[in-house]
């Protein structure tokens, strides 16, 4: 079992960003992930079980088993828990197991940074981090590895938790400030990264200004949203993978169902961007949205990177 501490030491940015970009250009088999909502009478919301397999012919295969319990913060437990199993395709033998939450946090942040490298303005210098969970410090570090970030604003429902995130990223030697008012600060940001368990929009199109890039990481269920419809109608929209994004996240599925958004309006996913099948020509005033739902090849790329360093 490779623990979180070792995974965090090995998976650095932007090396992991590069590895995931390469993975999106390779022939990796990824069946649709299995998503089960398990009723939990002890909480107001279900606990979600995710099973995500991926493999490369003749090389390695991986399966991630993860649970998401949204109310775990009340129990002083992480909301995401699980394990990653890495197998040898040739022999079928188990090579190693890895701590899934740390692997997930690293690869999710790297995927967001990869999208930012394609979509955000190259001179983006101010990042607004919305959310104070496990992903927040990883997203800050990942974005700062691909763009010249000099200032980070951190917002959460708890100002104390936002201040804790500031302390966790102090080693980056970037100006970091916890804020308690999202609306009045949002116009200052070049990149807005949002990773929460919110069921209602937190980011509104009326607040946005030209040239911004939105990195939307939360809203992992069809009934959850982090941005309102006008964010989508004002922006050029991209996703990490079409199959998952169209059905798994309320940020995309709900606007599709109501007709606010069409499939054709989603410009490209990370496969097309990484393979140079879609090349964005960004005008200075364009607003871009990247919606991340996660993809098993990202996990496999990260797990292979860890295993290669042992």
């Amino acid at each position: 079992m490779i623990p979180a501490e070792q995974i965090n030491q090995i998976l650095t940015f932007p090396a992991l960003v590069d590895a995931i970009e390469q993975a999106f250009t390779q022939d990796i088999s990824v069946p649709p992930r299995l998503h089960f909502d398990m009723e939990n009478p002890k909480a107001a919301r279900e606990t979600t079980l995710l099973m995500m397999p991926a493999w490369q012919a003749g090389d390695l295969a991986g399966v991630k088993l993860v649970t998401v319990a949204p109310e775990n913060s009340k129990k002083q437990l992480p909301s995401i828990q699980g394990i990653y199993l890495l197998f040898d395709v040739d022999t079928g033998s188990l090579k190693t197991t890895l701590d899934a939450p740390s692997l997930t946090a690293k690869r999710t942040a790297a995927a967001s940074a990869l999208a930012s490298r394609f979509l955000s303005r190259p001179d983006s210098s101010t990042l607004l981090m919305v959310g104070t969970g496990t992903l927040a410090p990883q997203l800050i570090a990942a974005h700062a590895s691909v763009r010249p970030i000099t200032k980070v604003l951190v917002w959460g429902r708890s100002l104390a938790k936002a201040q804790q995130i500031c302390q966790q990223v102090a080693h980056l030697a970037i100006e970091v400030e916890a804020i308690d008012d999202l609306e009045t600060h949002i116009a200052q940001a070049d990149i807005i990264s949002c990773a929460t368990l919110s069921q209602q929009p937190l980011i509104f199109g009326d607040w946005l200004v030209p040239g911004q890039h939105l990195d939307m990481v939360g809203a992992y269920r069809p009934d959850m949203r982090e941005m309102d419809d006008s964010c989508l109608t004002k922006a050029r929209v991209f996703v990490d993978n079409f199959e998952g994004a169209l059905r798994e996240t309320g940020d995309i599925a709900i606007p599709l169902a109501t007709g606010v958004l069409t499939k054709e309006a989603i410009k490209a996913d990370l496969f097309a961007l990484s393979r140079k099948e879609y090349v964005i020509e960004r005008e200075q005033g364009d607003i871009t949205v990247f919606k991340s739902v996660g993809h098993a090849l990202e996990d496999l790329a990260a797990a292979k990177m860890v295993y290669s360093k042992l």
Side-chain angles (χ1 to χ4, degrees):
M1 176 69 179
I2 304 175
E5 294 79 8
Q6 193 170 5
I7 291 171
N8 288 329
Q9 288 175 358
I10 293 173
L11 296 182
T12 59
F13 310 116
L16 180 57
V17 181
D18 297 335
I20 288 180
E21 179 177 10
Q22 184 179 12
F24 273 105
T25 69
Q26 295 174 338
D27 186 13
I28 297 176
S29 298
V30 182
R33 72 179 174 187
L34 299 178
H35 184 130
F36 302 100
D37 289 327
M38 303 182 293
E39 293 183 2
N40 181 16
K42 297 179 180 179
R45 295 159 69 180
E46 302 94 336
T47 295
T48 300
L49 172 65
L50 300 172
M51 304 172 64
M52 303 172 65
W55 64 86
Q56 198 163 14
D59 189 18
L60 294 172
V63 181
K64 186 169 74 173
L65 301 173
V66 171
T67 56
V68 184
E71 295 187 6
N72 265 7
S73 60
K74 300 176 183 178
K75 305 167 187 174
Q76 308 304 313
L77 292 170
S79 59
I80 300 175
Q81 301 182 71
I83 192 169
Y84 192 87
L85 308 175
L86 191 66
F87 297 90
D88 181 272
V89 171
D90 180 38
T91 65
S93 60
L94 178 67
K95 306 296 286 185
T96 190
T97 61
L98 301 92
D99 175 74
S102 57
L103 191 77
T104 301
K106 285 287 188 177
R107 66 82 156 151
T108 301
S112 286
L114 175 60
S116 180
R117 197 156 65 184
F118 287 123
L119 305 175
S120 68
R121 296 196 329 269
D123 63 349
S124 297
S125 60
T126 300
L127 170 68
L128 170 59
M129 183 68 239
V130 180
T132 56
T134 303
L135 270 172
Q138 301 296 344
L139 284 163
I140 292 170
H143 278 291
S145 77
V146 299
R147 287 293 184 252
I149 302 298
T150 58
K151 183 175 183 178
V152 177
L153 305 172
V154 182
W155 179 89
R157 298 188 190 278
S158 164
L159 183 61
K161 288 185 178 180
Q163 291 168 338
Q164 290 174 6
I165 296 299
C166 293
Q167 295 172 1
Q168 291 178 39
V169 298
H171 65 282
L172 296 176
I174 295 173
E175 180 186 352
V176 186
E177 177 186 353
I179 60 172
D180 58 5
D181 187 348
L182 191 56
E183 181 179 358
T184 58
H185 288 84
I186 203 165
Q188 301 177 27
D190 301 307
I191 298 171
I192 301 161
S193 186
C194 193
T196 73
L197 296 175
S198 179
Q199 291 185 292
Q200 302 297 328
L202 296 170
I203 308 299
F204 297 89
D206 289 345
W207 297 353
L208 303 179
V209 297
Q212 291 180 312
H213 172 65
L214 275 67
D215 170 41
M216 310 304 291
V217 182
Y220 66 93
R221 289 169 43 123
D223 62 349
M224 298 172 72
R225 298 196 71 174
E226 291 186 304
M227 59 181 165
D228 73 347
D229 288 344
S230 62
C231 287
L232 297 168
T233 57
K234 285 187 172 185
R236 302 171 70 176
V237 181
F238 299 82
V239 296
D240 57 354
N241 72 98
F242 276 104
E243 182 180 16
L246 295 181
R247 62 184 174 87
E248 292 187 14
T249 170
D251 273 335
I252 299 295
I254 293 173
L256 283 174
T258 59
V260 170
L261 182 70
T262 64
K263 294 180 182 178
E264 294 73 25
I266 303 174
K267 302 299 184 183
D269 61 8
L270 284 181
F271 287 98
L273 290 168
S274 298
R275 295 171 181 177
K276 305 299 188 290
E277 295 168 355
Y278 184 97
V279 179
I280 182 171
E281 296 180 2
R282 196 188 211 289
E283 300 293 334
Q284 189 72 5
D286 284 348
I287 296 173
T288 51
V289 166
F290 171 68
K291 178 57 205 168
S292 171
V293 293
H295 198 274
L297 75 73
E298 300 166 3
D299 295 302
L300 183 60
K304 288 175 65 175
M305 185 172 171
V306 172
Y307 188 68
S308 70
K309 303 292 185 182
L310 297 181

